[in-house]
Amino acid sequence: ETQFIAAFSSGNMYIFNTTYCTKTPINEPVIAFTLSKQGDSYNILVHRGKSRTKEIVKWELKCGQINEFSFSPDTKHLAVVSQDGFLRVFDFTSEDLVSAMRSYFGGLLCVCWSPDGRYIVTGGEDDLVTVWSLQDHKITARGEGHKSWVTMVTFDPYNSKGIASNGRPLEEDNAELPVYRFGSVGQDAHIFFWDLCEDSLEPVSTWRTKSDTPSEPESDKKRPAEKTANNSNNISNSSYSSFTLPLKGSANKKSNKVSDAANTLPHRNKFSKLRSFVRHSHSDTHLSDSQLLRNIQCYTILDSVKVPRLYEVPRIDPLVSKRVSSERLTCIVFTKDYVLLSCNEGNIYVWSRPSNALSS
């Protein structure tokens, strides 16, 4: 209740504590910030007042223009979309980057949480509506239908089934599959209604079948021991992830953790670049191996984000699609009895829900 956040096109977010905000004289010197935390392409800087309390917290996301941010229903996570095409999800308390997604093309313009906090819906310059699962850390579905940029997405808690509108889960005895209703508007002057349900997702197209796989050469069949060794090497390489770093106590205690981490990466020059970047970008160049390893692990989160192809993600079709204006739509709001829209010309449209229209 004593804090508010403001985001800017410079890629910075400021968290102000209204308890310590005072009138600043004209001749007041520039506010000085000190580095508090450094993560994956973002920095947290703090301005402390005379009482040594955090009066202003500055988040440098280094992502270009920040287009929108949104808190989860339980206010534990913060979702940020920016012009570089990334969705970043932060743990607001620990200030850690916990998840990230990248758009299919262009920047992301809007973001919204589901009422229960399970899903995040984004829209942007790729003309797609993307549903991201925070629990599974992957894209659940994509919605196709818009012919131009998607300017806003929002959930309709009054027409969603099997979920709570206050962010709390329902009783376990409710066996009904949840149905998430959300709407989207775009610069094509269309409004779309979508229903997200597990049984309504279209299956992913399979582009390669078992018959397409090449047959095994006779020379490999005659050498089973060599084939087994090659398979084990392929498995270790295919299961590589940028998060795959040696855990504490998993390797020999006398081994160098930094060198072990370098061996787990497929490109050693990539690790050396990361090590050099972390050392020179950190305020303290004398970092221990454990601190260096932790920072390098943070710097590989965004680098590991991959954009799946359109046929690799389940698709959802719009429930309703209608052109409602001659100008670009900018906002959509759901209430219990009405649906409100606004366009780029400043007009506001109020649509009555069917039950309310019939009764009146």
Side-chain angles (χ1 to χ4, degrees):
E1 296 179 356
T2 61
Q3 294 181 341
F4 71 94
I5 303 179
F8 298 87
S9 59
S10 60
N12 298 332
M13 293 194 307
Y14 291 86
I15 305 175
F16 299 93
N17 193 331
T18 58
T19 305
Y20 303 98
C21 288
T22 57
K23 293 183 179 180
T24 304
I26 300 178
N27 298 327
E28 185 74 13
V30 180
I31 297 176
F33 290 91
T34 58
L35 183 63
S36 175
K37 187 170 186 176
Q38 190 174 35
D40 189 359
S41 71
Y42 74 95
N43 296 327
I44 306 295
L45 300 97
V46 177
H47 167 68
R48 300 183 183 272
K50 297 180 180 180
S51 59
R52 304 303 299 169
T53 57
K54 293 183 179 180
E55 296 185 359
I56 303 176
V57 180
K58 179 181 178 181
W59 291 40
E60 294 181 345
L61 299 188
K62 304 177 183 179
C63 60
Q65 177 177 325
I66 297 177
N67 292 321
E68 190 176 2
F69 62 87
S70 177
F71 276 96
S72 60
D74 57 2
T75 67
K76 292 182 179 179
H77 294 90
L78 177 65
V80 182
V81 292
S82 52
Q83 198 60 34
D84 63 351
F86 275 97
L87 161 70
R88 295 171 172 86
V89 183
F90 295 92
D91 187 315
F92 189 69
T93 304
S94 62
E95 300 175 343
D96 290 330
L97 180 65
V98 297
S99 186
M101 181 202 74
R102 193 172 185 178
S103 65
Y104 185 75
F105 173 81
L108 291 177
L109 305 178
C110 51
V111 61
C112 181
W113 289 82
S114 63
D116 57 359
R118 291 183 57 188
Y119 297 103
I120 304 174
V121 178
T122 63
E125 297 176 356
D126 53 5
D127 305 344
L128 298 174
V129 175
T130 306
V131 183
W132 173 262
S133 174
L134 181 62
Q135 182 179 2
D136 299 331
H137 298 279
K138 68 176 184 179
I139 298 177
T140 301
R142 280 196 178 108
E144 301 181 32
H146 281 282
K147 302 301 181 182
S148 186
W149 295 356
V150 182
T151 54
M152 186 172 183
V153 290
T154 183
F155 279 87
D156 182 4
Y158 304 99
N159 275 341
S160 299
K161 301 178 182 179
I163 60 175
S165 59
N166 56 358
R168 299 178 181 178
L170 296 179
E171 289 77 8
E172 296 181 357
D173 55 355
N174 190 351
E176 182 182 3
L177 288 176
V179 179
Y180 300 85
R181 170 73 58 83
F182 61 94
S184 62
V185 294
Q187 294 188 4
D188 55 0
H190 278 73
I191 179 175
F192 284 80
F193 290 155
W194 313 81
D195 274 355
L196 176 64
C197 186
E198 294 181 0
D199 56 356
S200 65
L201 298 178
E202 292 188 4
V204 180
S205 302
T206 56
W207 287 65
R208 177 175 293 183
T209 59
K210 293 182 179 180
S211 60
D212 298 331
T213 56
S215 58
E216 185 178 4
E218 293 294 334
S219 59
D220 292 342
K221 294 181 180 180
K222 297 179 181 180
R223 293 179 290 180
E226 182 179 357
K227 176 185 174 182
T228 304
N230 292 333
N231 286 339
S232 62
N233 293 332
N234 292 334
I235 292 175
S236 61
N237 293 332
S238 62
S239 61
Y240 161 75
S241 172
S242 58
F243 295 102
T244 308
L245 295 173
L247 300 177
K248 184 178 181 180
S250 60
N252 187 5
K253 295 182 179 180
K254 296 183 180 180
S255 62
N256 190 342
K257 294 183 179 180
V258 176
S259 61
D260 292 341
N263 293 329
T264 59
L265 296 174
H267 307 290
R268 297 190 179 184
N269 58 346
K270 177 180 177 181
F271 181 86
S272 61
K273 291 181 180 179
L274 283 172
R275 177 169 53 185
S276 176
F277 176 74
V278 171
R279 287 194 183 276
H280 287 83
S281 61
H282 202 275
S283 58
D284 185 8
T285 57
H286 303 285
L287 294 177
S288 63
D289 288 346
S290 59
Q291 293 174 337
L292 179 63
L293 182 60
R294 183 167 58 252
N295 283 304
I296 290 177
Q297 188 173 5
C298 292
Y299 273 100
T300 57
I301 295 178
L302 291 183
D303 186 62
S304 65
V305 175
K306 297 181 179 180
V307 182
R309 300 178 183 271
L310 291 178
Y311 61 83
E312 296 176 344
V313 178
R315 189 186 69 181
I316 54 176
D317 294 323
L319 186 66
V320 174
S321 173
K322 184 175 178 60
R323 183 183 179 93
V324 296
S325 175
S326 59
E327 300 295 335
R328 294 173 291 181
L329 297 178
T330 57
C331 182
I332 176 173
V333 177
F334 290 105
T335 65
K336 185 177 181 181
D337 300 323
Y338 303 98
V339 178
L340 290 82
L341 304 175
S342 66
C343 69
N344 197 42
E345 292 296 323
N347 298 326
I348 298 178
Y349 305 92
V350 181
W351 299 80
S352 179
R353 292 186 184 268
S355 59
N356 189 35
L358 293 175
S359 61
S360 60

